[in-house]
Amino acid sequence: MDYSALYISGKLALISTALLLIIAAPLSYFLVHVRFRGKFFLEALVSVPLVLPPTVLGFFLLIIMSPESLPGRLWHTLTGGSLLFTFCGIVVASMAHSLPYTIQPLKTAFEKIDKRILESAMVLGCSRFNAFWRVALPNAKNGIVAAGVLTFAHIMGEFGVVLMVGGSIPGETRVASIAVYEYVEALRYREAWLLSGALLITSYLVLLCVMYLNGRPAPHEA
Amino acid sequence: MKLNAYIQKKMHGFTIDLSFCCQPGELLALVGPSGAGKTTIIRMLAGLEQPDKATITNGNTVWLDTKQGIELSPGKRKLGYVFQEFSLFPHLNVEKNVAFGTKNQERVESLLRLFGIHHLRKRAIKHISGGERQRTALAQALAPNPRVLLLDEPFSALDPITRKKMRTDLARHKNMLHIPIILVTHDLEEAHFLADTIVPVVEGKHAPLWPELCPSSVRDDTSKSGFSPFDMETSNLGPFPTNPILPTP
């Protein structure tokens, strides 16, 4: 069995989840607590990956990352390489695909926070960013962990987007779900069973974590 | 330093149009029925809501001047604000809540002692009573040494006995503060007990005859407290205080 596929999936999920939380936490807070014109355009944009078939999203990313496009050329100038068919490429792709899965639980967590404690922080001298850092983040702890766990699970099962952008290079871009697909195609059911079983157990454990965290009261509800 | 405010804002169904002035050491109560716009007024003073037209100054500092386009953020106004239901930080203990807006640990210590919550300093907010929360909220508001104190129905979440006790406590602490204090309340008895100046507000405007204009609502209110505003002139709480800056009724 190809254990490296499980390792690549885990590494991809860990790195992408960490980066996504860093980007999605302030973005979600901004979407919940800041009123601005055309807010729903931005909300719809970050939710597009929810409704777009992964292969279609993967196709767009393939075009954007190609050496002929501006972002592709920029990446080449900075690193001397290409994003396509590399581990970095699949990190970017899985982040783009999982962004709404991270944002939704974070938005729910920030919506639950009483607006008055944020106002109180601002009256006490905090800037908007400080109120986010010192008050909103600690009070959205459960939501952040739930978002992280859900995103991790989602990326562990990533298939279409990764296949389009990264192909299936063993030890580089061949993730567990692609390995299962290839085992089945080659009629190697034993390996497919083992890898699928590992993914099933991981997903179940992740859901248990989320349910446990959702059942726990947040600091402001206790 | 004196607080001067002129505020205008269009609301649903009425327009807030009010001006008042509060001297250092004075407690000015904005009193009126629910939905009169009192909380909106105090929120505009704090910079948490935008008026359509306003001039708010604290001494020589202009907090807001819509004509000149000057606006200080809430944090830069250096004010203390106690919200309707105490908005303490649930993830912090009593001491950290009080210290949130200041780095002066000595002041935090003395406020914890002054408000009788020093023994609770390591307790989580969820593990203290309503009265203790109220005292923590007051200490928190006073910790950064504010130039103005805003109190938005600070006793509304308390039971009647604690409410009375807290009222007495505030009256005592008030004398130690030499800053303008604005209190928002719908309780005339509370306003009479605490305030040096009462500004009755109905539908966002100064309504000197409010108690007489709304007898039923006031009677309902006072039936619980045992105080009748109709006896105001003769009650032992003293006559209705007047502010020389406000037009006399």
Side-chain angles (χ1 to χ4, degrees):
Chain A
M1 194 179 82
D2 183 9
Y3 289 107
S4 73
L6 260 183
Y7 169 73
I8 297 286
S9 281
K11 189 168 105 174
L12 174 69
L14 261 179
I15 294 173
S16 306
T17 303
L19 292 174
L20 265 175
L21 283 177
I22 293 169
I23 296 167
L27 181 59
S28 314
Y29 179 76
F30 180 75
L31 288 173
V32 170
H33 289 291
V34 181
R35 275 186 290 178
F36 59 94
R37 209 180 277 246
K39 183 175 169 175
F40 61 97
F41 282 112
L42 184 60
E43 281 186 308
L45 186 70
V46 297
S47 301
V48 161
L50 275 178
V51 289
L52 208 60
T55 44
V56 175
L57 180 68
F59 170 71
F60 286 130
L61 289 169
L62 192 70
I63 302 296
I64 291 169
M65 289 179 191
S66 72
E68 286 81 40
S69 73
L70 184 68
R73 277 205 303 273
L74 205 70
W75 182 262
H76 185 81
T77 317
L78 287 171
T79 64
S82 167
L83 266 175
L84 290 176
F85 308 110
T86 63
F87 182 74
C88 280
I90 61 171
V91 168
V92 174
S94 57
M95 279 172 67
H97 189 214
S98 296
L99 183 66
Y101 296 91
T102 320
I103 282 196
Q104 284 312 321
L106 284 173
K107 271 178 72 180
T108 310
F110 288 131
E111 274 161 1
K112 275 192 198 169
I113 296 175
D114 191 336
K115 207 180 159 195
R116 280 171 305 182
I117 66 168
L118 300 170
E119 289 179 341
S120 178
M122 288 201 277
V123 168
L124 288 164
C126 278
S127 64
R128 222 178 252 277
F129 176 77
N130 268 335
F132 163 73
W133 186 253
R134 292 180 66 188
V135 179
L137 275 186
N139 283 291
K141 203 168 61 186
N142 287 358
I144 294 166
V145 178
V149 173
L150 268 177
T151 308
F152 182 88
H154 187 250
I155 297 174
M156 277 297 282
E158 201 72 79
F159 180 80
V161 180
V162 172
L163 190 64
M164 293 294 277
V165 172
S168 175
I169 302 165
E172 178 75 22
T173 61
R174 191 182 192 229
V175 293
S177 52
I178 294 175
V180 169
Y181 176 75
E182 287 176 353
Y183 284 137
V184 172
E185 271 216 312
L187 303 177
R188 291 167 66 184
Y189 284 103
R190 193 181 158 273
E191 285 95 337
W193 261 111
L194 283 170
L195 210 50
S196 302
L199 282 176
L200 178 70
I201 291 166
T202 314
S203 309
Y204 183 67
L205 288 175
V206 160
L207 279 175
L208 275 184
C209 279
V210 173
M211 284 177 175
Y212 171 72
L213 288 169
N214 282 344
R216 269 174 51 189
H220 55 282
E221 289 169 337
Chain B
M1 279 179 287
K2 190 167 78 173
L3 178 77
N4 257 314
Y6 161 66
I7 291 169
Q8 206 180 74
K9 185 181 173 77
K10 208 167 160 41
M11 306 284 287
H12 293 289
F14 64 89
T15 302
I16 292 175
D17 191 349
L18 195 72
S19 57
F20 53 86
C21 166
C22 188
Q23 301 288 343
E26 179 187 6
L27 194 151
L28 182 144
L30 298 172
V31 197
S34 302
K38 307 182 300 290
T39 293
T40 309
I41 293 167
I42 207 169
R43 284 176 60 80
M44 288 191 281
L45 286 178
L48 298 171
E49 263 184 60
Q50 295 303 311
D52 300 329
K53 265 190 207 170
T55 315
I56 307 171
T57 56
N58 177 217
N60 294 326
T61 314
V62 180
W63 284 2
L64 181 69
D65 189 335
T66 47
K67 229 179 202 174
Q68 291 185 50
I70 301 170
E71 186 185 352
L72 283 190
S73 65
K76 289 193 176 140
R77 296 186 187 200
K78 295 198 189 304
L79 52 90
Y81 194 135
V82 178
F83 286 76
Q84 210 159 24
E85 286 198 21
F86 329 121
S87 42
L88 296 168
F89 306 113
H91 62 295
L92 301 176
N93 63 24
V94 169
E95 185 180 19
K96 285 183 177 163
N97 260 284
V98 175
F100 191 90
T102 183
K103 283 178 182 147
N104 186 343
Q105 194 54 34
E106 251 175 59
R107 188 169 167 80
V108 172
E109 283 286 319
S110 62
L111 281 166
L112 286 170
R113 283 183 209 285
L114 179 70
F115 284 96
I117 47 174
H118 192 264
H119 63 292
L120 305 168
R121 64 192 188 282
K122 297 294 171 204
R123 287 255 190 104
I125 292 303
K126 62 183 173 187
H127 292 137
I128 59 173
S129 70
E132 289 159 350
R133 283 181 199 198
Q134 196 270 351
R135 279 184 269 158
T136 307
L138 262 172
Q140 183 193 59
L142 292 173
N145 208 3
R147 289 179 192 157
V148 175
L149 181 61
L150 306 177
L151 307 167
D152 185 5
E153 308 245 14
F155 312 120
S156 62
L158 300 174
D159 62 84
I161 295 168
T162 317
R163 197 182 166 119
K164 231 168 201 175
K165 193 185 171 304
M166 289 299 134
R167 205 182 277 176
T168 317
D169 278 1
L170 178 62
R172 203 179 64 230
H173 292 133
K174 183 196 108 180
N175 297 328
M176 291 185 262
L177 300 169
H178 304 290
I179 54 172
I181 306 169
I182 310 286
L183 168 74
V184 157
T185 180
H186 62 270
D187 186 338
L188 263 173
E189 188 196 354
E190 188 169 284
H192 268 281
F193 186 79
L194 289 166
D196 303 302
T197 307
I198 293 181
V199 179
V201 179
V202 175
E203 295 197 335
K205 291 177 187 69
H206 179 219
L209 300 174
W210 169 60
E212 284 82 358
L213 288 172
C214 312
S216 59
S217 65
V218 174
R219 260 192 201 122
D220 286 345
D221 252 358
T222 52
S223 61
K224 291 170 211 154
S225 62
F227 165 74
S228 165
F230 300 100
D231 301 328
M232 217 176 285
E233 293 300 327
T234 51
S235 84
N236 56 5
L237 291 165
F240 214 82
T242 50
N243 186 336
I245 287 148
L246 289 169
T248 41

